[in-house]
């Protein structure tokens, strides 16, 4: 009886408890797109540890009935969207709003594709893909960019390669690497960007001043290097590239490893090593032209759609030899070197890198954060720090033998923020600000007169950009930017040079100290720059489109243009700046026509660029120093116009063969005198025929033809010098351009699958197949030696 009574009491307790719990709660909600709040139809919802499911209707609505009080965990899924899990505490009937993000596939930027049948890009852009970048793994950024129509390079030898866009280079081109504007003393021709090209997964070339987000001084254009975008999943992968080259008898090694997680965490590490000895022309060794380079980078962070951050560090060290024959001891040797067909110094091959040489260390540290706001847009905040140490070694003796002749330390701090109002795809707006502080320290312990002085520089900028979809076929872009630049420099001038330049009548108020033979001056310069851009693209039909663009940009003169004063050892010349220089103002108009079908892609770009106060460096004479005789180059300014045409044609002949053509013509002259500008690229035509067999290890064979015509438009800067040893006046032909040339290159590659996750790509090639002897007009060392001869290369790449 007692036992029966206990069972009754227990049953009553259970029943009472069940009746006390409210399981009649209704949970409703709505799921919308994060960007524009449009309903997400067909999203599935599940309450974990139960058998309750729901599907959103055409209005994005869902409902669960008969839920008990307490916490529930809800899983929301939709195709092409990031799965979301949320925990909710239910104690009464509840309604909740949720958002999902479409097209979330990687850890980087999300590309939102318009439903309109029209391209939204209103700027002249060209992309270099990862396959091409890997092909140039052992070379420089400038070498890879030569594959873009309208982009050439200005070289100092074969290892210092600086990109030229439509005839403009150096400080007129902004280089963005992983979201950081490169600050590596890019002012001189012989200062190549200190970048490891292997860190980029994609390179975009923007021609003209149409990327106000990056800066208003990009008169020539912007080069954007973007890192790899990773898939949101748990994975560990990497690759290793090994390259060998006959010319220079060296090679390169690149390796990377990446770990990603489905939750958005990632870490990536890369390293690159390059080592080459003396390179050679077709007929002789180019003494002291070796290269040693080391690069390392590590990147980590958390990338979720709604927010995330990254922390990056990268380091590049380059040790580059300068052709020994380019450093001359007296006037006779200089005249002889320029007029002779072979360099005055030819020694046996060596891996030694001796003076003259340059050694550069470049560090970049970056921290960035972003957050997306529902129905509004995305906020980005970034801080970056850069330290560039540049050493240039001259041939010195005694205690100074191993001491650098130029020792510059450039430190830059930058902070920037932008907000992208992108919830309405038909009208997006982006506003941003940026501020930076830069310090240059020229080490006085070199024992050599400093070419560039100490200075502090402050930059600040603000911009606004709008993108508009005007119709199903037309999109437009407009932007404006203001930049403030302030330079506070302290520099010693020889009193003789000060008077010779005429500064004694114009800038005497800058003198703050008298040091016997020198004045110490303190220039404080302020520049206000306004830039703007506008573009419109009209999609005529599915195959044809036209684009028009206008860009106004202003660039303040850099420290080199203002203050240079002395022997620039890597360039083997004396350079003189001009304190009178004002900012360049560029007005560039361009038009592009594109045709694209299944088999044919054609792009024709024409441009006209009028530049007020165009700053250029030009030879003016010769100067004998205790170190030897060197040409004197002076910075000057004039009003100039540049115009030209870039043409790209890709034709699929059949499933196996493809033809490519890239041609460029650029002209430049002084507006008032019609005098040709110096350092304008010669007309170039690149054609290639490629065979690819996808069924047999993706075999590819490509034969390339590179035709560069003689540059016939150049200024006459020749001058005569008296040679006392011969008692004659000799002409120094520093102006005449070299003959045109034609080169053939051969490249082949194939892929072998080693396992399900591992493949091996083997590439082999020959550049300058016929071992043609030539000199390029834009190579600074063309006065002293021929360019590179035949080069055999082999590259192995393994993905794992």
């Amino acid at each position: 009886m007692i036992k029966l009574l206990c069972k009754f009491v227990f049953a009553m307790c259970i029943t009472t408890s069940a009746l006390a719990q409210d399981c009649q709660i209704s949970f409703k909600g709505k799921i919308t797109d994060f960007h524009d709040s449009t309903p997400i139809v067909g999203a599935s919802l599940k309450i974990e540890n139960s058998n309750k499911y729901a599907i959103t209707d055409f209005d994005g609505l869902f409902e669960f009935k008969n839920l008990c009080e307490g916490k529930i965990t809800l899983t929301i899924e939709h195709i092409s969207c990031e799965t979301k899990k949320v925990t909710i505490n239910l104690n009464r009937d509840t309604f909740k709003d949720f958002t999902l993000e479409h097209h979330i596939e990687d850890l980087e930027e999300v590309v939102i594709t318009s439903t309109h049948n029209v391209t939204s890009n209103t700027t002249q852009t060209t992309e270099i893909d990862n396959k091409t970048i890997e092909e140039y793994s052992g070379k420089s950024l400038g070498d890879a960019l030569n594959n873009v129509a309208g982009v050439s390079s200005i070289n100092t030898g074969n290892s210092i390669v600086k990109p030229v866009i439509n005839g403009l280079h150096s400080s007129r081109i902004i280089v963005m690497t992983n979201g950081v504007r490169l600050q590596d003393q890019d002012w001189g021709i012989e200062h190549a960007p200190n970048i490891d090209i292997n860190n980029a997964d994609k390179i975009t070339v923007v021609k003209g001043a149409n990327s106000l987000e990056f800066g208003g001084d990009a008169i020539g254009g912007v080069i954007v290097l973007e890192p790899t975008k990773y898939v949101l999943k748990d994975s560990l992968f990497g690759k290793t590239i090994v390259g060998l080259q006959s010319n220079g008898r060296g090679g390169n090694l690149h390796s990377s490893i990446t770990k990603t997680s489905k939750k958005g965490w990632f870490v990536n590490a890369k390293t690159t090593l390059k080592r080459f000895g003396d390179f050679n022309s077709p007929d002789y060794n180019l003494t002291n032209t070796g290269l040693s380079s080391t690069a390392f980078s590590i990147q980590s962070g958390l990338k979720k759609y709604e927010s995330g951050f990254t922390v990056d560090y990268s380091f590049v060290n380059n040790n580059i030899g300068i052709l020994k024959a380019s450093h001359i001891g007296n006037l006779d040797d200089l005249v002889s070197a320029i007029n002779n067909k072979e360099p005055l110094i030819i020694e046996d091959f060596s891996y030694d890198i001796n003076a003259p040489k340059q050694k550069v260390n470049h560090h970049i540290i970056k921290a960035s954060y972003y957050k997306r706001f529902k129905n509004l847009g995305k906020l980005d905040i970034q801080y970056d720090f850069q330290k560039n140490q540049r050493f240039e070694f001259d041939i010195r003796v005694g205690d100074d033998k191993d001491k650098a002749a130029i020792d510059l330390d450039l430190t830059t701090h930058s902070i920037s923020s932008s907000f992208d109002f992108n919830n309405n795809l038909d009208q997006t707006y982006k506003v941003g600000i940026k501020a930076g502080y830069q310090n240059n320290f020229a080490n006085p312990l070199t024992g050599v007169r400093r070419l560039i002085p100490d200075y502090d520089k402050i930059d600040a900028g603000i911009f606004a950009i709008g993108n508009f979809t005007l119709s199903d076929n037309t999109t437009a872009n407009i932007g404006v930017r203001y930049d403030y630049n302030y330079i506070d420099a302290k520099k010693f001038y020889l009193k003789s040079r000060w008077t010779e330049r005429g500064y004694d009548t114009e800038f005497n108020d800058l003198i703050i100290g008298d040091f016997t033979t020198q004045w110490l001056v303190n220039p404080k310069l302020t520049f206000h720059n306004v830039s703007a851009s506008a573009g419109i693209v009209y999609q005529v039909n599915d195959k044809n489109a036209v684009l028009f663009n206008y860009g106004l940009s202003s660039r303040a003169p850099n420290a080199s243009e203002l203050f240079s004063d002395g022997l620039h050892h890597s360039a083997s010349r004396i350079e003189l700046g001009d304190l009178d220089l004002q900012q360049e103002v560029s007005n560039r108009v361009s038009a592009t026509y594109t045709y694209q079908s299944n088999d044919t892609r054609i792009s024709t770009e024409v441009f006209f660029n009028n530049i007020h106060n165009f700053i250029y460096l030009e030879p003016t004479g010769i100067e004998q120093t205790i170190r030897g005789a060197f040409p004197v180059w002076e910075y000057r300014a004039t009003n100039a116009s540049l115009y030209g045409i870039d043409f790209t044609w890709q034709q699929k002949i059949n499933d196996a063969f493809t033809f490519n053509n890239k041609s460029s013509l650029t002209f430049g002259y002084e507006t008032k005198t019609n005098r040709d500008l110096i350092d304008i690229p010669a007309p170039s035509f690149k054609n290639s025929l490629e065979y690819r067999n996808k069924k047999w290890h993706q075999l590819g064979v490509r034969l390339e033809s590179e035709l560069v015509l003689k540059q016939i438009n150049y200024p006459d800067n020749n001058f005569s010098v008296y040679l006392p040893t011969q008692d004659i006046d000799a002409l120094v032909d520093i102006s005449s351009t070299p003959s045109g040339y034609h080169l053939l290159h051969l490249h082949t590659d194939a892929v072998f699958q080693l396992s399900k996750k591992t493949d091996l790509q083997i590439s082999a090639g020959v550049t300058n197949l016929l071992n043609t002897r030539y000199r390029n007009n834009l190579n600074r060392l063309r006065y002293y030696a021929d360019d590179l001869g035949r080069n055999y290369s082999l590259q192995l790449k393994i993905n794992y």
Side-chain angles (χ1 to χ4, degrees):
M1 183 63 186
I2 295 175
K3 193 173 182 179
L4 181 62
L5 181 60
C6 290
K7 288 183 178 179
F8 175 75
V9 172
F10 180 75
M12 287 298 294
C13 291
I14 295 296
T15 304
T16 302
S17 175
L19 290 174
Q21 188 175 14
D22 183 5
C23 289
Q24 303 299 318
I25 295 176
S26 171
F27 174 38
K28 300 179 181 178
K30 185 176 183 178
I31 300 178
T32 57
D33 183 84
F34 187 91
H35 296 288
D36 54 11
S37 297
T38 55
I40 300 292
V41 182
S44 64
L45 301 95
K46 178 190 175 185
I47 298 176
E48 289 192 354
N49 302 319
S50 76
N51 59 351
K52 293 183 178 294
Y53 299 87
I55 302 292
T56 56
D57 60 17
F58 284 100
D59 297 319
L61 299 170
F62 69 88
E63 180 179 8
F64 289 98
K65 296 180 179 178
N66 301 325
L67 298 179
C68 298
E69 183 178 343
K71 288 185 178 179
I72 62 169
T73 299
L74 186 67
T75 301
I76 310 172
E77 295 181 315
H78 187 272
I79 188 171
S80 299
C81 292
E82 182 184 25
T83 298
K84 177 175 282 188
K85 284 189 177 182
V86 291
T87 300
I88 301 165
N89 192 7
L90 294 177
N91 51 27
R92 61 179 181 273
D93 289 347
T94 303
F95 186 95
K96 289 280 187 181
D97 282 317
F98 300 98
T99 59
L100 291 183
E101 160 51 25
H102 271 147
H103 309 298
I104 181 75
E105 294 176 346
D106 55 50
L107 296 171
E108 283 292 338
E109 294 293 328
V110 175
V111 177
I112 302 171
T113 304
S114 169
T115 55
H116 298 284
N117 184 27
V118 58
T119 176
S120 61
N121 191 356
T122 60
T123 58
Q124 290 180 326
T125 61
T126 305
E127 292 183 358
I128 298 177
D129 60 17
N130 180 258
K131 188 174 186 299
T132 303
I133 293 171
E134 289 180 343
E135 187 177 324
Y136 285 84
S137 175
K139 297 185 178 179
S140 70
L141 172 67
D143 291 319
L145 291 173
N146 276 322
N147 287 283
V148 178
V151 180
S152 52
S153 62
I154 191 164
N155 297 23
T156 301
N158 50 277
S159 299
I160 304 174
V161 186
K162 201 174 184 71
V164 179
I165 300 178
N166 290 147
L168 300 175
H169 56 80
S170 302
S171 294
R172 301 184 183 93
I173 295 176
I174 294 176
V175 178
M176 299 293 300
T177 173
N178 191 19
V180 177
R181 175 171 175 163
L182 193 66
Q183 301 283 355
D184 67 344
Q185 307 177 33
D186 58 343
W187 44 60
I189 286 175
E190 54 294 322
H191 297 193
N194 287 285
I195 285 179
D196 178 17
I197 190 174
N198 296 287
N199 279 343
D201 185 65
K202 183 178 74 172
I203 301 174
T204 303
V205 178
V206 184
K207 296 176 182 174
N210 303 307
S211 293
L212 298 179
E213 178 181 354
F214 304 122
D217 51 349
I219 292 176
V222 182
I223 298 168
V224 183
L225 292 88
E226 299 178 61
T228 305
K229 297 177 180 178
Y230 306 118
V231 177
L232 275 170
K233 66 179 183 180
D234 296 324
S235 64
L236 176 65
F237 59 93
K239 69 178 177 183
T240 296
I241 299 174
V242 179
L244 298 171
Q245 294 185 26
S246 63
N247 200 335
R249 306 182 195 178
N252 63 285
L253 168 67
H254 169 74
S255 189
S256 68
I257 188 76
T258 302
K259 176 73 176 75
T260 65
S261 76
K262 191 175 181 179
K263 293 183 178 180
W265 291 98
F266 71 98
V267 60
N268 169 268
K270 299 178 180 178
T271 187
T272 301
L273 304 172
K274 299 177 187 177
R275 187 70 175 95
F276 295 94
D278 291 340
F279 292 87
N280 60 271
S281 73
D283 299 323
Y284 46 79
N285 188 47
L286 298 169
T287 302
N288 197 50
T289 56
L291 163 70
S292 174
S293 177
T294 304
F296 172 77
S297 69
I298 186 166
Q299 180 183 38
S300 185
L302 173 66
K303 288 283 189 177
K304 304 280 290 181
Y305 178 74
E306 296 181 358
S307 64
F309 71 93
T310 61
V311 179
D312 306 73
Y313 168 74
S314 66
F315 168 72
V316 175
N317 169 268
N318 287 322
N319 190 15
I320 304 172
I322 306 294
L323 180 71
K324 193 172 183 178
S326 66
H327 279 229
I328 308 302
N330 55 58
L331 292 176
D332 291 85
D333 288 348
L334 175 63
V335 174
S336 178
I338 292 177
N339 295 334
N340 276 357
K341 294 182 178 180
E342 291 190 354
L344 299 181
I345 303 173
I346 301 177
E347 298 175 354
D348 292 338
F349 172 86
S350 172
Y351 285 101
D352 295 338
I353 300 176
N354 301 310
K357 65 178 180 179
Q358 60 176 239
K359 186 175 182 180
V360 185
N361 297 321
H362 192 86
H363 304 260
I364 299 178
I365 298 174
K366 184 190 97 172
S368 61
Y369 170 79
Y370 69 86
K371 180 172 178 57
R372 286 185 166 88
F373 296 88
K374 181 184 175 185
N375 297 330
L376 193 61
K378 180 186 176 189
L379 172 69
D380 284 281
I381 301 174
Q382 177 176 307
Y383 164 78
D384 56 80
F385 166 81
Q386 296 181 68
K387 186 176 182 63
N388 184 277
Q389 297 170 293
R390 181 178 187 84
F391 307 95
E392 296 187 6
F393 295 84
D394 191 13
I395 300 175
R396 308 176 77 176
V397 295
D399 294 339
D400 295 330
K401 182 179 179 181
D402 298 322
K403 187 183 294 182
I406 291 180
D407 181 351
L408 300 177
D409 192 341
L410 186 72
T411 305
T412 308
H413 301 263
S414 298
I415 185 168
S416 60
S417 180
S418 65
F419 198 97
D420 193 355
F421 298 88
N422 58 14
N423 62 308
N424 181 356
L425 296 183
D426 289 336
Q427 294 184 21
T428 64
Y429 302 90
K430 192 167 190 176
V431 296
I433 58 174
K434 182 173 183 178
Y437 166 75
Q438 186 174 80
N439 172 265
N440 182 69
F441 173 69
N443 191 347
L445 301 180
T446 59
V448 175
R449 183 176 176 73
R450 288 175 284 184
L451 178 67
I452 304 294
D454 298 344
Y455 69 82
D456 293 304
K457 184 181 177 186
I458 296 174
D459 299 314
I462 183 171
F463 71 89
I465 301 170
N467 296 280
F468 311 96
T469 301
L470 304 181
S471 70
D472 288 346
N473 298 325
T474 309
T475 58
N477 166 287
I478 188 169
V480 64
R481 180 178 178 115
Y482 166 76
D483 285 285
Y484 166 83
N485 309 116
Y486 172 75
I487 299 178
D488 183 349
K490 288 185 178 177
K491 176 174 174 56
F492 286 94
Y493 276 96
L494 290 171
K495 290 182 177 179
S496 56
R497 183 81 79 191
W498 184 260
T499 303
E500 171 197 307
R501 305 289 291 171
Y503 294 159
D504 54 333
T505 59
E506 193 175 358
F507 297 113
N508 260 1
D509 58 322
L510 301 181
I511 298 174
I512 60 173
D514 186 347
F515 293 80
T516 313
T517 59
Q518 300 184 90
W519 296 118
L520 175 60
V521 301
N522 182 206
K524 296 180 180 178
L525 307 173
T526 301
F527 300 96
H528 301 274
N529 304 309
V530 176
S531 308
S533 69
I536 187 168
V537 58
Y538 176 65
Q539 192 82 33
V540 180
N541 51 44
D542 290 342
K543 297 180 180 178
N544 297 276
V546 290
L547 180 156
F548 299 95
N549 205 283
Y550 164 73
L552 165 68
S553 56
S554 302
R555 182 185 73 88
N558 62 39
S560 177
E561 294 162 338
L562 290 166
F563 307 123
S564 286
D565 179 21
L567 179 60
H568 196 164
H569 297 268
S570 338
S572 305
R573 65 192 182 196
I574 293 170
E575 295 179 356
L576 300 177
D578 190 342
L579 284 174
D580 257 335
L581 293 176
Q582 299 299 312
Q583 63 255 67
E584 293 181 337
V585 179
S586 162
N587 286 274
R588 186 182 191 274
V589 292
S590 62
T592 303
Y593 163 74
T594 60
Y595 173 87
Q596 183 167 343
S597 67
N598 292 334
D599 298 329
T600 306
R601 297 181 64 183
I602 293 176
S603 173
T604 304
E605 304 171 352
V606 295
F607 72 93
F608 178 81
N609 196 352
N610 181 268
I611 305 176
H612 184 68
N613 283 333
F614 176 76
I615 301 171
Y616 63 103
L617 186 61
E618 195 169 60
T620 57
I622 202 165
E623 189 169 307
Q624 181 74 43
T625 72
I626 59 173
R627 176 56 193 85
F630 293 91
V632 177
W633 291 59
E634 295 185 37
Y635 283 102
R636 295 173 170 174
T638 186
N639 295 333
S641 294
L642 293 93
Y643 62 96
I645 181 171
D646 302 325
F647 179 77
T648 304
W649 177 23
Q650 184 181 75
Q651 182 64 52
K652 182 179 177 182
I653 301 173
N654 54 39
D655 290 341
F657 287 93
T658 303
F659 169 78
N660 281 282
N661 171 270
K662 295 171 184 174
S663 304
S664 298
L665 295 171
T666 303
F667 305 91
Y669 63 94
E670 293 186 39
T671 307
K672 291 183 179 178
T673 62
N674 283 330
R675 184 171 181 260
D676 294 312
L677 295 180
I678 194 171
D679 292 334
I680 297 298
S684 66
F685 308 88
K686 296 181 181 178
N687 297 284
S688 68
L689 182 64
E690 181 174 6
Y691 167 80
R692 189 156 297 276
N693 187 341
K694 296 182 180 179
K695 296 181 179 178
W696 196 85
H697 301 290
Q698 304 179 43
L699 173 68
V701 180
R702 184 177 70 244
L703 180 64
E704 296 180 343
S705 160
E706 179 182 354
L707 174 64
V708 178
L709 303 183
K710 177 180 173 63
Q711 177 56 277
I712 60 174
N713 303 308
Y714 58 87
D716 183 359
N717 294 308
N718 292 342
F719 52 86
S720 297
V721 295
Y722 174 68
L723 304 181
T725 56
Q726 303 178 44
D727 192 24
I728 60 170
D729 287 321
L731 178 70
V732 181
D733 186 3
I734 207 165
S735 306
S736 299
T737 56
S739 302
Y741 58 89
H742 178 239
L743 306 178
L744 287 177
H745 313 299
L746 181 66
H747 176 86
T748 180
D749 59 78
V751 179
F752 300 88
Q753 201 70 36
L754 303 182
S755 69
K756 187 177 180 180
K757 295 184 177 180
T758 305
D759 63 63
L760 171 67
Q761 177 176 312
I762 302 176
S763 306
V766 188
T767 55
N768 194 0
L769 184 64
L770 303 180
N771 210 23
T772 301
R773 186 176 181 178
Y774 72 101
R775 299 191 183 197
N776 188 292
N777 179 44
L778 295 185
N779 193 330
R780 294 299 84 204
L781 301 186
R782 69 174 173 85
Y783 302 113
Y784 311 106
D786 290 333
D787 226 305
L788 294 186
R790 184 187 294 122
N791 178 37
Y792 298 97
S793 63
L794 174 66
Q795 185 184 88
L796 305 178
K797 175 197 165 190
I798 183 168
N799 292 310
Y800 43 87

